[in-house]
Amino acid sequence: MKLKLIKTIGKFENKQQVEVATSMQSLDGRLFSVSRLMNTNDPMNSTLVYKTYDKDWKVDRFEELCKGEDPRTFILDNQPFVLSWTFNPQKKDLDLFVINLNTLAKTSLKLPSELKYAGKNWAPIPYKNTLCFIYALDPLVLLDCAPNGQLSIVNSSADIKELNEFSFCSVSKNFGLRCGSNARFNGDSIQVFSRTGSPGEHRIYYSEIKNY
């Protein structure tokens, strides 16, 4: 199957900021989204933008939140949230956090002691009143998140040795299969799209987790 670009709106080279990586959800019949407002002259210096929409898809709330990239919106306990990250040059890794979009409270996520690097492309899995994340798909590593942001590995039998050899600044290493989208519930399974590979050689995968 060949894909054809039909139309491009706007030109990036003529804009100082562009809105990318939008993640959208519906809650109580209303749409909300969080996007990455990217500075075209400094792509790592991006800001998260929160929007809500009326029934005609018109924006009725626009708010800049904080610095962040690759937002993943989700709903937990009937409240809107977003997962995002910023790069920490001292650690040469990422600082991940969750924001409650009702209260704008920000919670930093704390890695379990078994994991050396945070990496990116986590998928949030909100289930009833609990929150988990898919940290990696191959090998499969699931993280449980406490209200204070402390994370623990759910499937402690996972082989994480290879993952601990990866750092954000050495993407040429094989760091396993990481998530590239939100997770989606489908009956007794969780579905997610992902990507992996060296720069310029990304590949897209579809994964399904059962008996979670």
Side-chain angles (χ1 to χ4, degrees):
M1 179 179 67
K2 292 185 178 180
L3 300 179
K4 182 180 180 181
L5 179 64
I6 303 299
K7 185 178 182 181
T8 300
I9 300 176
K11 294 183 179 180
F12 283 13
E13 62 266 26
N14 293 331
K15 292 189 175 183
Q16 294 297 316
Q17 291 182 316
V18 291
E19 197 171 327
V20 297
T22 299
S23 180
M24 180 175 285
Q25 301 272 351
S26 176
L27 177 61
D28 295 332
R30 285 174 55 86
L31 293 171
F32 71 92
S33 70
V34 178
S35 305
R36 171 188 175 189
L37 191 61
M38 184 177 72
N39 185 327
T40 56
N41 296 320
D42 184 9
M44 295 297 288
N45 185 17
S46 300
T47 302
L48 297 179
V49 173
Y50 172 46
K51 298 179 184 179
T52 62
Y53 305 81
D54 64 19
K55 60 182 179 62
D56 298 317
W57 283 67
K58 293 181 180 179
V59 176
D60 55 14
R61 179 179 177 182
F62 179 97
E63 189 161 351
E64 292 190 7
L65 298 175
C66 60
K67 290 188 176 183
E69 299 195 29
D70 297 344
R72 300 277 190 271
T73 54
F74 61 95
I75 297 167
L76 179 66
D77 197 20
N78 207 42
Q79 295 191 77
F81 288 84
V82 64
L83 165 73
S84 187
W85 59 266
T86 55
F87 178 62
N88 186 323
Q90 284 72 40
K91 296 192 305 183
K92 294 184 178 180
D93 195 19
L94 309 183
D95 291 328
L96 283 94
F97 56 89
V98 167
I99 298 176
N100 182 322
L101 296 172
N102 278 346
T103 65
L104 302 185
K106 181 179 177 181
T107 303
S108 297
L109 300 182
K110 307 170 187 67
L111 279 182
S113 58
E114 299 94 325
L115 293 174
K116 187 176 179 181
Y117 298 108
K120 58 180 288 186
N121 292 335
W122 296 17
I125 310 176
Y127 183 69
K128 295 184 178 179
N129 295 327
T130 62
L131 176 61
C132 291
F133 297 101
I134 302 175
Y135 172 83
L137 284 163
D138 184 15
L140 179 63
V141 180
L142 302 178
L143 302 179
D144 179 71
C145 184
N148 66 354
Q150 181 61 56
L151 301 164
S152 58
I153 298 178
V154 175
N155 52 330
S156 57
S157 61
D159 183 6
I160 61 173
K161 180 180 178 181
E162 190 173 12
L163 292 172
N164 280 335
E165 295 175 355
F166 160 76
S167 77
F168 184 76
C169 295
S170 61
V171 293
S172 60
K173 291 185 177 180
N174 177 15
F175 57 93
L177 192 60
R178 309 297 285 270
C179 297
S181 73
N182 280 55
R184 176 181 180 272
F185 287 98
N186 183 28
D188 63 347
S189 66
I190 296 173
Q191 301 169 328
V192 67
F193 286 94
S194 52
R195 69 174 186 173
T196 190
S198 301
E201 297 180 359
H202 289 301
R203 297 181 180 181
I204 305 299
Y205 295 84
Y206 166 77
S207 302
E208 192 166 345
I209 304 170
K210 291 192 174 184
N211 301 319
Y212 53 88

